Amino acid sequence: MALADQGGGEGTGDIEPPLPTTRPAEYDQMEKWLDEHPEFVHDYFARKAKRSMIDGWLIAHAISHSLGLVQSANSSGSNSRNNSGANTPVRKISAQEFEKGGLVLNPMISTVDGTPTFLGSNSSHSSSQAQTTKSYRRTKNQLKALDEKELMYELVMDICNDLDVTSLCYKILHNVCILLHADRCSLFLVEGKGTNEKSLVSKLFDVNGETTLEELSKVQEEIRIPWGTGIIGYVAEKGEVVDIPDAYKDPRFNAEIDIKMGYRTRSILSMPIKDSEGEVIGVAQAVNKISAADEPFDEHDEKVFGSYLAFCGIGLKNAQLYERSLLENRRSQVLLDLARVIFEEQSNLASLIHKIMMHTQCLLQCERCQVLLVDNSSKGIFSQVFDMEANDFDNSETYTREGLTEPRFPIHIGITGHVATTGEALNIPDAYADERFDPQTDLETGYRTRSILCMPIRNAHGRVLGVAQLINKLDGMPFNKNDENLFEAFAIFCGMGINNTQMYEVTVRASAKQRVALEILSYHTCAPVEETQKLKNAFVPSTQHYRLLDCGFSDFRLDDDDTLKATIRMFMDLELLDKFRIDYETLCRWVLCTKKNYRQVTYHNWRHAFNVAQTMFWMLQESRLGKLIGDHEKLALMVGCLSHDLDHRGTNNQFQIKTMSPIAELYSTSVMEHHHFDQCIMILSCKGNEILSSLTQEEYEYVIQLIEHAILATDLALYFKYRNKFFKLVDQAELSWEADEHRDLLRSMLMTASDVSAITKPWEVQNKVADMIANEFFEQGDLEKTQLKIKPMEMMDRDKKDQLPQMQVGFIDSICLPVYEAISKVSGSLQPLLDGCKRNRENWSSLAQKENTPVRKTHQNDPSTDDIIS
Ligand SMILES: Nc1nc2c(ncn2[C@@H]2O[C@H](COP(=O)(O)O)[C@@H](O)[C@H]2O)c(=O)[nH]1
Ligand SMILES: [Zn+2]
């Protein structure tokens, strides 16, 4: 928004109407008076200025540095660019400001009305400005009235607190004019390091006692003088004073400027300005002493000049250091802004690159900015090209013209190709003089490329992801060192941002692929409609029919359909359907699906899960436990038993770890048990399987937590961990139904008792089941031998199959008997389990004696068998 528009608010009266183009004479007089009374102006504004006026000033001064870009970008503060990410404020300063000093801008902030701005109300610029204006300055006439000592004191005081280089230089020259009665003064500052790179740049030129700083900064062009050239160059190089009475007689004098300015130089007094270490940091030059007889500068002038410049040197050095620190601060702010912008945009590559280009173009003030990304799969081509022109700021919709250029073109062509393939940054002042430059696009579009700055964009590992290219600086100059440095920092941030975004996109794709895979999987794992209908319509025989309340129950005589119906019968008898409003068809589908998700492995299959559930059912129905255990717990225990070995692969936890299976990557302990629980949740959440859907959220969370606990408890490692606590509570008759921890322990022990309950079954059943278990172990042992090339533990080594009886005795002694003894103490009705277990021990023991091998405590999860496991 232009400054004149600021007063548009009707009736605000804050801003004066714009001045007419031809100003009345008194305005000029008034302005002159104001110029001469800065302390009054300052005081007046401090008291009277409105915030809108200050904003107007800030905007006007910011805009003048940033060409038309700022206007269009400022107006983008509206929400019209939501998708493009253009709402993110862009710091509107150019890289040139880093070189020369100028406005000091605050970090980007939002104004009270939410419009993004970088024009903070308490900018450090205003504080430095305040330093230049707050000190009281005497008028020229007042100064004339002072004697030489007083004058020197006044003029030293005038400069000693000013930290703004431009204002300080102006004051120095203004004061030198007064001190030396010079007609004009100029000041040149040293730039660059090392004799070869050093030069002198005019800071202020031809200042006289009347010119204001504002007038000077409007008209002055930069004059650059090579080191050692002319009078100024000589003074700087030699560090000596040069006093020339008649300039035209001195061969070092260059009359060109006189000709250009229409001025006649007579006498010159040129003197080095040195810092406290004696290093020349600038040259001040006084021209034409004003005196009645046109006398040149004399020795006294040299002395006065020298004394004053000694103070000026210290002040100037301080101001330069201060300016540099502000510069560094601003550089950090710009890079921080960019970092923030980059890291807040991680999801959309196009939007991220747009933001980067917007910031780059604003900062480095160039006609075009391009980002070309190397194709991920085929490294030989650029697959994405983003192109932004300076005037694209005006049109939010066409901000990046990705696709205007052939989107897939070979990487090795032109400047960008060179940078992408070599990783080398290029700063080309004249594109047409560089043989790597391909003028084809210029020819086709009529555009004229002049200067190019091209940088590789790398990821954290140094891999080139693409290139960023700037074309034609707006000021017509080639890109300089400062541009290179800033652009390099940009490229580093871009690399990180682009890498993150690409990774994010890969992750999103992977996650989408995973979801598709899960959809397919869930289709295949869910029960088919016909099977569900068949089970739903089937007659479900009684508990007695299936002998579900026989302690010696075996599934051998049941076919698969019977196992499904018997499962439903158990849910019915436990009244779980009524208590938890489980839809009958949903229960049928869930049971079918659960069965389907058991693999056809030798032992850890659906039949095992069904048998475990039957033992739990028997315990809940036949013992006093059924009265003490709550309905939610019963539901969780039954679901837990049926789900506790879901998707078992016939191999144990150690095998998952040894083979570094994906499941072992997910979990470090109770590896398979966690997987069984995950599968259980997956099935329970599948559409049509939601048997817990009528529970309140709180109930649901509680039951799920109980299921998880129940399934994890089937890891014998956890059984060993917690059983002693339980045994102690039981032995000391301290088990309390009120204590959650005791209930947890009891449920865990019931899960173990059910899981290994084949050991309690009649001998024919136990013998057959033990055979299945042993065979599954041997299958794992075979895999370990053939695939892992390791010696399996004895229990899994088919060469040791004769040792099965004594191993079974070991299993009974170390795992089974203790748990059955403990739970039968909790409820006498559970004694049949202990009795059955003992009977089987007898049988295995006598077989072992026949084999004549000593009984060994042998089990994979028994801590006392660590020697065997290792
Ligand atoms: N050596 C034997 N191990 C057995 C027997 N019955 C069961 N088990 C093992 O116990 C755990 C139970 O956990 P699960 O949840 O995986 O079923 C498991 O390691 C079984 O292999 C047996 O008669 N002998
Ligand atoms: Zn099991």
Side-chain angles (χ1 to χ4, degrees):
M1 190 187 288
L3 181 57
D5 296 341
Q6 289 283 307
E10 243 185 295
T12 57
D14 283 348
I15 305 285
E16 298 276 316
L19 290 172
T21 20
T22 34
R23 302 197 305 182
E26 62 262 36
Y27 274 47
D28 289 334
Q29 285 164 10
M30 201 157 49
E31 189 168 326
K32 192 162 177 287
W33 187 88
L34 288 171
D35 286 337
E36 283 168 6
H37 296 84
E39 70 281 12
F40 170 82
V41 176
H42 179 79
D43 175 57
Y44 176 84
F45 275 91
R47 284 184 295 108
K48 295 275 178 74
K50 299 270 172 13
R51 169 64 202 248
S52 55
M53 220 167 166
I54 313 259
D55 282 349
W57 185 93
L58 287 167
I59 290 167
H61 283 71
I63 287 171
S64 65
H65 284 263
S66 314
L67 298 175
L69 286 177
V70 178
Q71 281 199 347
S72 55
N74 255 358
S75 59
S76 76
S78 72
N79 286 334
S80 63
R81 285 184 175 184
N82 265 349
N83 294 337
S84 68
N87 275 338
T88 308
V90 177
R91 191 179 293 283
K92 308 297 185 309
I93 54 174
S94 75
Q96 279 133 310
E97 289 175 58
F98 287 113
E99 293 153 32
K100 296 177 180 171
L103 276 178
V104 177
L105 302 174
N106 273 346
M108 286 182 286
I109 53 163
S110 282
T111 53
V112 268
D113 65 353
T115 318
T117 174
F118 54 89
L119 301 172
S121 52
N122 55 350
S123 82
S124 43
H125 172 58
S126 37
S127 69
S128 93
Q129 199 62 359
Q131 282 191 348
T132 66
T133 50
K134 77 176 169 214
S135 56
Y136 170 78
R137 294 192 79 203
R138 288 179 194 271
T139 63
K140 219 168 152 187
N141 289 338
Q142 284 172 325
L143 290 171
K144 275 180 191 163
L146 302 174
D147 69 29
E148 201 173 275
K149 268 193 182 161
E150 284 169 339
L151 179 63
M152 179 64 92
Y153 174 78
E154 274 303 320
L155 298 186
V156 168
M157 290 311 288
D158 185 38
I159 56 152
C160 70
N161 277 329
D162 200 332
L163 287 172
D164 182 278
V165 174
T166 309
S167 140
L168 180 66
C169 289
Y170 169 74
K171 283 181 184 173
I172 291 172
L173 294 180
H174 199 260
N175 294 343
V176 167
C177 279
I178 296 168
L179 262 181
L180 301 182
H181 303 283
D183 183 38
R184 290 183 180 195
C185 288
S186 301
L187 200 151
F188 294 79
L189 293 178
V190 176
E191 265 193 24
K193 282 192 182 123
T195 323
N196 293 339
E197 282 183 27
K198 270 189 193 173
S199 62
L200 289 138
V201 178
S202 61
K203 186 68 194 171
L204 290 172
F205 196 73
D206 274 357
V207 174
N208 62 36
E210 310 303 322
T211 34
T212 63
L213 180 56
E214 213 182 8
E215 283 163 1
L216 284 166
S217 43
K218 267 184 214 153
V219 292
Q220 296 241 319
E221 254 177 56
E222 185 180 275
I223 300 170
R224 194 170 280 270
I225 298 173
W227 198 247
T229 307
I231 297 166
I232 301 288
Y234 177 89
V235 172
E237 189 183 44
K238 304 286 176 206
E240 290 170 8
V241 58
V242 168
D243 189 353
I244 305 170
D246 184 353
Y248 281 81
K249 288 194 179 141
D250 192 301
R252 291 166 299 188
F253 178 68
N254 179 355
E256 262 178 43
I257 297 173
D258 267 11
I259 298 164
K260 201 171 156 191
M261 301 285 186
Y263 185 76
R264 175 76 191 180
T265 303
R266 295 186 309 278
S267 54
I268 294 177
L269 181 56
S270 200
M271 209 169 243
I273 306 174
K274 296 181 181 175
D275 64 14
S276 55
E277 278 152 26
E279 192 169 329
V280 177
I281 56 171
V283 173
Q285 177 167 278
V287 174
N288 292 355
K289 184 161 175 171
I290 304 167
S291 67
D294 275 354
E295 292 141 4
F297 297 100
D298 57 21
E299 254 180 55
H300 179 71
D301 295 324
E302 280 180 36
K303 225 170 127 192
V304 173
F305 199 16
S307 311
Y308 188 57
L309 289 188
F311 290 107
C312 297
I314 297 164
L316 195 56
K317 184 74 185 182
N318 282 346
Q320 283 180 328
L321 288 174
Y322 179 67
E323 192 172 72
R324 198 164 306 154
S325 75
L326 291 178
L327 195 73
E328 284 307 318
N329 188 25
R330 281 196 294 155
R331 199 190 297 271
S332 312
Q333 283 173 1
V334 167
L335 293 177
L336 268 175
D337 285 345
L338 183 71
R340 183 176 56 70
V341 163
I342 284 174
F343 291 108
E344 78 187 7
E345 180 56 83
Q346 302 271 319
S347 55
N348 183 313
L349 191 63
S351 166
L352 170 79
I353 291 178
H354 166 242
K355 285 180 180 178
I356 292 172
M357 295 206 297
M358 227 161 69
H359 277 257
T360 311
Q361 211 154 26
C362 265
L363 185 74
L364 293 162
Q365 298 280 291
C366 54
E367 285 179 12
R368 274 183 112 142
C369 177
Q370 289 177 327
V371 170
L372 299 88
L373 297 185
V374 177
D375 190 73
N376 261 341
S377 44
S378 156
K379 305 273 180 252
I381 54 169
F382 286 120
S383 59
Q384 278 172 295
V385 179
F386 301 85
D387 187 358
M388 184 186 256
E389 280 184 16
N391 53 16
D392 284 343
F393 273 96
D394 296 333
N395 188 346
S396 61
E397 301 315 315
T398 57
Y399 62 85
T400 44
R401 293 168 307 139
E402 187 194 353
L404 269 190
T405 335
E406 174 57 48
R408 299 181 78 79
F409 61 87
I411 212 171
H412 58 272
I413 296 171
I415 304 293
T416 48
H418 178 88
V419 173
T421 46
T422 62
E424 181 196 344
L426 290 180
N427 184 356
I428 300 168
D430 178 5
Y432 281 82
D434 193 303
E435 60 187 20
R436 290 164 296 198
F437 175 67
D438 176 12
Q440 194 53 37
T441 319
D442 272 13
L443 289 172
E444 283 163 15
T445 58
Y447 183 80
R448 177 80 186 175
T449 304
R450 297 187 309 272
S451 52
I452 297 176
L453 181 57
C454 194
M455 290 273 167
I457 301 173
R458 299 171 188 274
N459 68 4
H461 308 292
R463 187 166 67 81
V464 176
L465 302 173
V467 296
Q469 172 167 260
L470 302 181
I471 299 171
N472 294 357
K473 271 188 87 167
L474 289 177
D475 62 7
M477 301 290 286
F479 292 96
N480 59 25
K481 196 80 201 150
N482 187 52
D483 298 326
E484 278 179 31
N485 290 343
L486 273 167
F487 197 37
E488 191 184 357
F490 262 53
I492 291 170
F493 280 112
C494 294
M496 292 192 281
I498 292 170
N499 194 41
N500 284 354
T501 313
Q502 283 179 339
M503 296 285 281
Y504 178 81
E505 285 181 354
V506 168
T507 316
V508 168
R509 271 187 74 77
S511 155
K513 275 188 182 171
Q514 199 184 18
R515 283 201 302 279
V516 172
L518 270 175
E519 268 172 25
I520 298 168
L521 199 70
S522 114
Y523 173 79
H524 290 288
T525 50
C526 280
V529 181
E530 317 78 63
E531 281 184 36
T532 311
Q533 289 311 312
K534 190 178 152 209
L535 182 57
K536 183 189 165 189
N537 297 326
F539 169 71
V540 176
S542 67
T543 298
Q544 289 77 8
H545 173 84
Y546 285 129
R547 298 186 209 157
L548 290 167
L549 289 179
D550 276 11
C551 183
F553 172 85
S554 153
D555 68 299
F556 292 160
R557 37 185 188 84
L558 303 184
D559 65 17
D560 275 359
D561 282 351
D562 280 325
T563 61
L564 296 167
K565 287 185 274 184
T567 303
I568 288 171
R569 168 53 61 198
M570 292 191 275
F571 270 66
M572 287 161 93
D573 281 15
L574 286 166
E575 298 172 15
L576 297 175
L577 284 100
D578 293 340
K579 285 175 179 156
F580 296 103
R581 298 171 301 285
I582 300 173
D583 173 62
Y584 188 73
E585 185 176 325
T586 305
L587 180 68
C588 293
R589 203 178 288 108
W590 175 77
V591 176
L592 275 165
C593 184
T594 301
K595 175 178 175 291
K596 214 171 165 200
N597 278 277
Y598 275 91
R599 298 191 184 198
Q600 305 270 351
V601 290
T602 311
Y603 170 69
H604 284 97
N605 49 39
W606 160 250
R607 294 292 177 135
H608 165 61
F610 170 69
N611 284 316
V612 173
Q614 182 277 327
T615 305
M616 182 62 78
F617 173 71
W618 177 83
M619 292 195 292
L620 294 177
Q621 295 293 70
E622 288 294 284
S623 72
R624 71 183 190 109
L625 294 177
K627 304 214 165 38
L628 297 167
I629 290 181
D631 289 330
H632 293 88
E633 290 171 302
K634 283 181 188 167
L635 174 65
L637 286 169
M638 289 304 289
V639 172
C641 285
L642 289 166
S643 309
H644 87 282
D645 274 332
L646 270 167
D647 196 45
H648 202 292
R649 289 103 194 265
T651 49
N652 65 6
N653 286 341
Q654 277 81 36
F655 187 83
Q656 311 308 319
I657 295 165
K658 278 185 263 187
T659 54
M660 290 185 285
S661 78
I663 305 176
E665 272 179 43
L666 282 176
Y667 304 106
S668 54
T669 57
S670 303
V671 179
M672 283 309 290
E673 287 73 18
H674 275 112
H675 178 62
H676 304 320
F677 172 67
D678 284 348
Q679 295 304 106
C680 168
I681 293 297
M682 189 269 283
I683 293 170
L684 280 173
S685 10
C686 265
K687 202 166 177 299
N689 286 340
E690 302 111 319
I691 53 169
L692 306 180
S693 64
S694 297
L695 275 66
T696 64
Q697 182 64 23
E698 206 182 341
E699 280 180 311
Y700 178 83
E701 280 166 18
Y702 174 55
V703 170
I704 292 293
Q705 186 209 312
L706 292 174
I707 294 173
E708 181 177 17
H709 186 263
I711 294 179
L712 293 184
T714 62
D715 178 2
L716 286 179
L718 293 186
Y719 161 70
F720 282 115
K721 195 169 169 191
Y722 296 117
R723 71 175 187 177
N724 287 338
K725 209 173 195 178
F726 179 73
F727 295 162
K728 206 169 150 204
L729 286 170
V730 172
D731 288 342
Q732 297 177 350
E734 280 173 359
L735 194 69
S736 158
W737 297 106
E738 312 302 321
D740 284 346
E741 196 201 351
H742 295 189
R743 293 177 87 95
D744 282 353
L745 279 172
L746 175 66
R747 286 196 310 277
S748 298
M749 295 304 139
L750 294 182
M751 285 303 291
T752 306
S754 307
D755 199 11
V756 298
S757 61
I759 207 75
T760 68
K761 301 287 172 183
W763 174 245
E764 322 76 68
V765 178
Q766 156 58 194
N767 202 277
K768 229 169 142 185
V769 174
D771 207 42
M772 285 192 262
I773 294 170
N775 276 319
E776 194 177 280
F777 283 159
F778 295 153
E779 284 155 24
Q780 178 177 324
D782 293 345
L783 288 176
E784 292 183 344
K785 282 183 200 167
T786 55
Q787 288 183 11
L788 302 180
K789 310 280 182 224
I790 56 168
K791 190 172 167 324
M793 58 193 292
E794 289 184 349
M795 191 173 76
M796 297 190 176
D797 190 348
R798 65 172 76 248
D799 297 339
K800 309 266 169 66
K801 66 170 181 245
D802 294 345
Q803 295 180 12
L804 178 65
Q806 59 266 33
M807 284 188 202
Q808 285 301 84
V809 174
F811 174 68
I812 291 168
D813 288 349
S814 59
I815 291 166
C816 309
L817 280 178
V819 72
Y820 293 122
E821 273 163 5
I823 60 168
S824 36
K825 282 181 200 159
V826 176
S827 169
S829 335
L830 301 181
Q831 183 72 27
L833 294 174
L834 179 60
D835 296 342
C837 182
K838 282 181 176 168
R839 273 196 303 275
N840 285 328
R841 188 191 188 283
E842 293 293 306
N843 291 328
W844 285 119
S845 178
S846 45
L847 277 178
Q849 272 156 19
K850 273 188 213 154
E851 290 287 334
N852 205 17
T853 43
V855 170
R856 300 187 58 179
K857 276 187 178 177
T858 308
H859 199 273
Q860 46 179 334
N861 294 104
D862 183 349
S864 61
T865 62
D866 274 356
D867 55 336
I868 297 166
I869 294 167
S870 60

